[in-house]
Amino acid sequence: MIFAEYLLLSSLVLGVQLFLHQTQRIQFVEVNDSAKIHCSSTENLEGGSSMFWYLRREGEKPTCIKHCLDDQNVGKFVCKHETHSSTLEISNVQKTESGIYYCAYRYSSYLIFGNGTTLIVGDSYTNSSWVMLLVPFPWGSQVTGTANLACVIHGVSSLVHVSWSVSGELQEQRLTHSLKAKDGSLTLINHISVPMDTWTSGKNFTCEVKFNSSGTSVKKSTRYLTGDFPGPACCL
Ligand SMILES: *[C@@H]1O[C@H](CO)[C@@H](O)[C@H](O)[C@H]1NC(C)=O
Ligand SMILES: *[C@@H]1O[C@H](CO)[C@@H](O)[C@H](O)[C@H]1NC(C)=O
Ligand SMILES: *[C@@H]1O[C@H](CO)[C@@H](O)[C@H](O)[C@H]1NC(C)=O
Ligand SMILES: *[C@@H]1O[C@H](CO)[C@@H](O)[C@H](O)[C@H]1NC(C)=O
Ligand SMILES: *[C@@H]1O[C@H](CO)[C@@H](O)[C@H](O)[C@H]1NC(C)=O
């Protein structure tokens, strides 16, 4: 029993020394092109036989798509190795292969994951796409001390890249929630929480949405407006 615990502890301690870095957070690629997703390691990957790749599609659980061990360098997914890195090459990418790609390394009995690279294939923009910002309700949010803002991206065919900036300062990446409509289109909701006084100080909050590899993106900005808000009674 004690021995088993010792083994677990020592493997955890050793395992912690290996980190997988996926420095590219987002990659846009055209349909039918090939994508290369890079993963580097702080330790020698020993030829990559313990390397795996997982794909998490929007609204699904991550699934293992490649074990680099039996790599014959054929097929859709190919692993390329160097001592401290592994690259997954995906040929002839299709829209359904958009998602977050995670590299993983099996260390004794558990897996160490990279932070993931989001792959967006083709153009997610459709003729019904729009972006809207939802701001805190002026009376309700005072109570909690937290201001929640949401960026709603309606009517897209696939993933998009969302980034927030507060008065020009880029914020940490946030998780996106998605809803699928009957026609298969997606509505994505990405939200940011800030202390109430950050919001009421009048800073400029901008949500930037990139739908494809073209240089243009859609930006929506808002800020807290001082002055008296009309009471709820006027809506009745
Ligand atoms: C992964 O992301 C977390 C949170 O953003 C960060 O603290 C960590 O350093 C990242 N890890 C690597 C290996 O890049
Ligand atoms: C991708 O390839 C298929 C089959 O070769 C072709 O029909 C389709 O038009 C191509 N799509 C794009 C966007 O190039
Ligand atoms: C939007 O595009 C679809 C096909 O992609 C088309 O069937 C539809 O008529 C278009 N709607 C409008 C309002 O242009
Ligand atoms: C907020 O900043 C964006 C760019 O960072 C700018 O385009 C926009 O006009 C600003 N909005 C307000 C309300 O100041
Ligand atoms: C790409 O996204 C922009 C909005 O950011 C949109 O106007 C444009 O139609 C999209 N498609 C292409 C091919 O640029």
Side-chain angles (χ1 to χ4, degrees):
M1 185 66 185
I2 290 164
F3 181 63
E5 276 174 9
Y6 170 76
L7 265 186
L8 182 69
L9 191 69
S10 61
S11 65
L12 281 172
V13 168
L14 287 171
V16 166
Q17 294 172 343
L18 189 144
F19 288 102
L20 297 174
H21 294 288
Q22 291 182 266
T23 47
Q24 189 174 27
R25 300 299 291 267
I26 186 114
Q27 187 176 136
F28 284 95
V29 63
E30 301 298 335
V31 174
N32 294 347
D33 274 1
S34 56
K36 285 184 183 157
I37 300 171
H38 194 70
C39 174
S40 64
S41 166
T42 51
E43 297 295 313
N44 189 331
L45 292 174
E46 315 286 353
S49 59
S50 298
M51 208 68 202
F52 296 81
W53 285 89
Y54 281 76
L55 167 60
R56 186 161 73 84
R57 288 199 183 85
E58 196 53 44
E60 292 179 16
K61 284 188 295 186
T63 50
C64 185
I65 52 164
K66 183 78 182 171
H67 180 189
C68 294
L69 171 67
D70 47 18
D71 194 31
Q72 301 298 306
N73 276 356
V74 287
K76 178 113 198 147
F77 302 107
V78 170
C79 300
K80 293 276 170 70
H81 291 289
E82 283 174 45
T83 323
H84 285 91
S85 72
S86 174
T87 301
L88 180 71
E89 294 190 8
I90 313 166
S91 53
N92 197 27
V93 284
Q94 301 303 310
K95 286 202 85 145
T96 52
E97 283 150 4
S98 293
I100 309 175
Y101 286 79
Y102 297 95
C103 56
Y105 187 80
R106 191 175 59 211
Y107 193 91
S108 63
S109 61
Y110 62 99
L111 286 165
I112 297 162
F113 283 90
N115 272 351
T117 296
T118 302
L119 185 72
I120 298 178
V121 183
D123 192 357
S124 300
Y125 196 85
T126 72
N127 57 14
S128 57
S129 294
W130 48 255
V131 178
M132 185 170 74
L133 275 183
L134 300 179
V135 300
F137 190 60
W139 310 283
S141 45
Q142 246 86 12
V143 181
T144 59
T146 304
N148 292 299
L149 286 89
C151 190
V152 179
I153 305 114
H154 172 86
V156 290
S157 59
S158 185
L159 294 174
V160 298
H161 179 53
V162 183
S163 56
W164 282 94
S165 55
V166 177
S167 285
E169 212 172 293
L170 209 61
Q171 304 295 299
E172 253 307 303
Q173 196 116 337
R174 314 274 153 171
L175 279 179
T176 300
H177 300 278
S178 68
L179 304 163
K180 202 169 205 152
K182 277 204 193 97
D183 64 358
S185 75
L186 292 170
T187 292
L188 308 172
I189 302 162
N190 189 290
H191 86 268
I192 186 173
S193 295
V194 293
M196 200 60 203
D197 33 333
T198 305
W199 166 241
T200 54
S201 68
K203 287 192 161 118
N204 181 354
F205 285 72
T206 303
C207 168
E208 179 169 356
V209 182
K210 214 164 165 341
F211 298 85
N212 51 57
S213 58
S214 87
T216 54
S217 56
V218 173
K219 280 188 187 176
K220 294 283 171 184
S221 294
T222 188
R223 63 182 352 146
Y224 179 76
L225 296 169
T226 46
D228 286 331
F229 279 97
C234 74
C235 303
L236 301 174

